[in-house]
Amino acid sequence: MRKLLAATVLLTAISATQAYASECGKVTIADMNWNSATLLANVDRFILQHGYGCETDLVPGDTMPTGTSMVEKGEPDIAPEFWSNSMKAALDRGVEEGRILYAGKSFSDGGEEGFWVPEYMVKKDPSLATIEGIKKNAKLFKHPEDDDKSAFYNCPAGWNCQISAGNLFEALKLEDAGFELIDPGSGAGLSGSIAKAYERGEAWFGYYWAPTAVLGKYKMVKVDFGSGIDAKYFKECLTNAECVDPKVSMYPPSNVDTVITTSFAKRSPAAVEYLGKRSFTNTQMNSLLAWMEDNQADGEAVMEEVLTNHEDIWVKWVSPEVADKVRGALADL
């Protein structure tokens, strides 16, 4: 009798698991070609597979081709980290036509941009957390090639952020204070300039963004322009190379969303609920990206780090039953 009962319970459990997997079905997840996106993709893959019974598959992705494919072809099913302002009109049209949905925020703080200085400078002189304090102490920020000028490290040439940073440089009248725009040549050159200054305890002032490994490794303070945020003006003028007589605004947060297809949403509402809750703060992601860089870790390795050593983060996204399934799968790794 006990054996029969046990067999019945086992068959019921198997049947329920199969039904759950069938409901979710095959799920394709875009693995974008930058570290925070591949972290999210691998975390989603593991949790959806082991917690929700999905048959998950990572596929290569990038912003424009992935967004276009989701809107026009309905695949892949999930883009875990989509900087949606980069093609907002197309995405919004996809939502209006019932092809895709915004499932939740990848980063609860949004993408963060600004002008930054090292934290150790602000601890020594709190006025350096403001643009007025920066201008009054311009001589601290030594130019690498001209002793008579001060250095502002700009976004690399060819990047969209070069336009907004250049317009703000003009609006803030930094040239009048003695600063000169320095093109770091590349993203690596920009991050390298921060690392070099930090390791020597030197002054640094320039553009950067989060979440990034750099801001996870090196504690920086975002400089307050004293202007507040005018998101409409920022978008219409400060991001435009033809912006005439630019005015000051802090950078508005960038929308970073998890985008899904409506076909996936219809067949697996439980998984969609998870994606709606799955979000990292920039501080959390900065730290994880720094760990990833220091350990030369790939997406699978950082997924294991997140799920094994940062349960306080991810357990809030799922039910206790799903959390137990994820823990069980981790134990088998």
Side-chain angles (χ1 to χ4, degrees), residues 33-184:
N33 58 355
W34 59 90
N35 281 351
S36 57
T38 202
L39 182 159
L40 283 165
N42 277 271
V43 167
D44 287 348
R45 176 190 62 78
F46 195 90
I47 290 179
L48 289 175
Q49 178 180 335
H50 298 287
Y52 295 90
C54 305
E55 297 176 43
T56 54
D57 186 24
L58 297 183
V59 297
D62 205 346
T63 303
M64 294 299 286
T66 296
T68 301
S69 180
M70 292 181 77
V71 172
E72 295 182 357
K73 300 178 181 178
E75 56 185 32
D77 295 299
I78 304 169
E81 181 185 323
F82 209 108
W83 292 67
S84 49
N85 284 351
S86 60
M87 55 181 302
K88 184 168 176 55
L91 293 177
D92 287 350
R93 186 173 65 254
V95 172
E96 289 173 8
E97 293 174 354
R99 298 172 182 268
I100 60 171
L101 296 168
Y102 295 107
K105 294 183 178 296
S106 309
F107 310 128
S108 57
D109 306 320
E112 187 175 13
E113 298 175 274
F115 293 178
W116 307 76
V117 292
E119 184 184 68
Y120 51 75
M121 295 189 72
V122 175
K123 285 184 175 179
K124 188 174 181 179
D125 181 356
S127 76
L128 294 174
T130 69
I131 198 65
E132 292 306 318
I134 294 288
K135 291 196 284 188
K136 288 177 182 177
N137 293 278
K139 290 295 183 183
L140 291 174
F141 303 93
K142 296 179 180 179
H143 194 289
E145 298 175 356
D146 189 340
D147 291 339
D148 293 329
K149 294 183 178 179
S150 302
F152 173 85
Y153 288 86
N154 198 8
C155 189
W159 291 23
N160 288 343
C161 50
Q162 185 192 35
I163 296 171
S164 57
N167 281 330
L168 283 169
F169 182 90
E170 180 182 345
L172 292 165
K173 303 187 184 307
L174 290 174
E175 186 175 0
D176 293 346
F179 284 95
E180 182 175 82
L181 286 165
I182 293 179
D183 181 356

